[in-house]
Amino acid sequence: AAARAWPRVHRVFLADGDALTLSMESLGAILDKLGQVFPALARVSAYATPKNLLEKSPGDLAELRDRGLSLIYLGVESGATAVLKSIRKGATQDSMARALARAHAAGLKVSATVILGLGGGAGWEEHIGGTAELINRQPPTYLSTLQLRLDDVVAGDFLAAQDEGFAFQDDAAVLAEQERFLNLLDPPR
């Protein structure tokens, strides 16, 4: 129905959560069908987690690329393992780097996001230093930053998982984080 309504579609996003958690059989069928019904299709993208990238073999990821998946969105959030643990990311700096390397080796482009302010007032230097270290070690194709802002509904749960005394960064402090992050970036060319 979508192909009939929009026959010239050239980009498709496999929406809502982490599509790479699907089996290879399911993902392959979806990608094959998209290629059949959208003749102008140039890009298929999806969210991914480090865990799912590492659970797929290098051959699986290359097969997904060959079947049309070309871009994944990865919430790096932080490169500091302590910060990743505090937000229950289920990853370390090392596993994040291995996931980025695996996607890159398969020929997948990666659009990664980092969340400024995630280390709070006391942990911002570790957060920014570890994140720059990760990006320098294994750079994504695209990199963007977001600023930590939490709805009141989830702020309490977030604060409960943080060290006592966690303080949110104000806008000036977030800008200082951004500046420090940019100054530390020196990925291989």
Side-chain angles (χ1 to χ4, degrees):
R4 286 189 299 278
W6 303 290
R8 294 190 305 238
V9 163
H10 61 279
R11 292 183 180 176
V12 171
F13 175 69
L14 303 179
D16 210 22
D18 177 16
L20 287 189
T21 196
L22 293 171
S23 69
M24 284 298 293
E25 181 180 349
S26 294
L27 281 169
I30 291 167
L31 292 168
D32 291 347
K33 185 68 170 182
L34 289 171
Q36 291 166 8
V37 299
F38 293 111
L41 189 61
R43 181 177 89 187
V44 177
S45 57
Y47 287 130
T49 66
K51 179 179 185 247
N52 292 135
L53 286 169
L54 294 172
E55 287 178 346
K56 297 275 190 267
S57 73
D60 287 345
L61 293 175
E63 179 183 335
L64 292 174
R65 184 216 50 234
D66 290 344
R67 291 170 98 165
L69 182 66
S70 57
L71 174 67
I72 57 166
Y73 295 95
L74 180 66
V76 167
E77 325 312 7
S78 180
T81 296
V83 174
L84 292 169
K85 183 177 180 182
S86 77
I87 63 168
R88 300 179 184 115
K89 183 69 180 177
T92 63
Q93 184 189 87
D94 186 56
S95 67
M96 192 76 71
R98 286 186 288 117
L100 284 162
R102 183 165 289 184
H104 177 73
L108 294 170
K109 293 180 181 176
V110 177
S111 180
T113 54
V114 169
I115 301 177
L116 300 174
L118 203 52
W124 78 269
E125 290 179 284
E126 179 182 4
H127 167 53
I128 294 302
T131 304
E133 183 180 313
L134 170 64
I135 299 304
N136 290 338
R137 178 177 167 193
Q138 193 59 57
T141 313
Y142 309 106
L143 179 64
S144 60
T145 59
L146 303 170
Q147 182 174 351
L148 179 64
R149 288 283 184 250
L150 299 174
D151 187 270
D152 291 341
V153 174
V154 297
D157 288 340
F158 175 84
L159 288 170
Q162 304 307 309
D163 290 337
E164 189 174 327
F166 179 93
F168 288 102
Q169 296 279 66
D170 62 18
D171 290 343
V174 167
L175 286 173
E177 285 189 28
Q178 180 84 48
E179 180 178 28
R180 180 72 177 139
F181 185 50
L182 291 171
N183 287 331
L184 290 174
L185 288 178
D186 189 24
R189 290 170 179 49

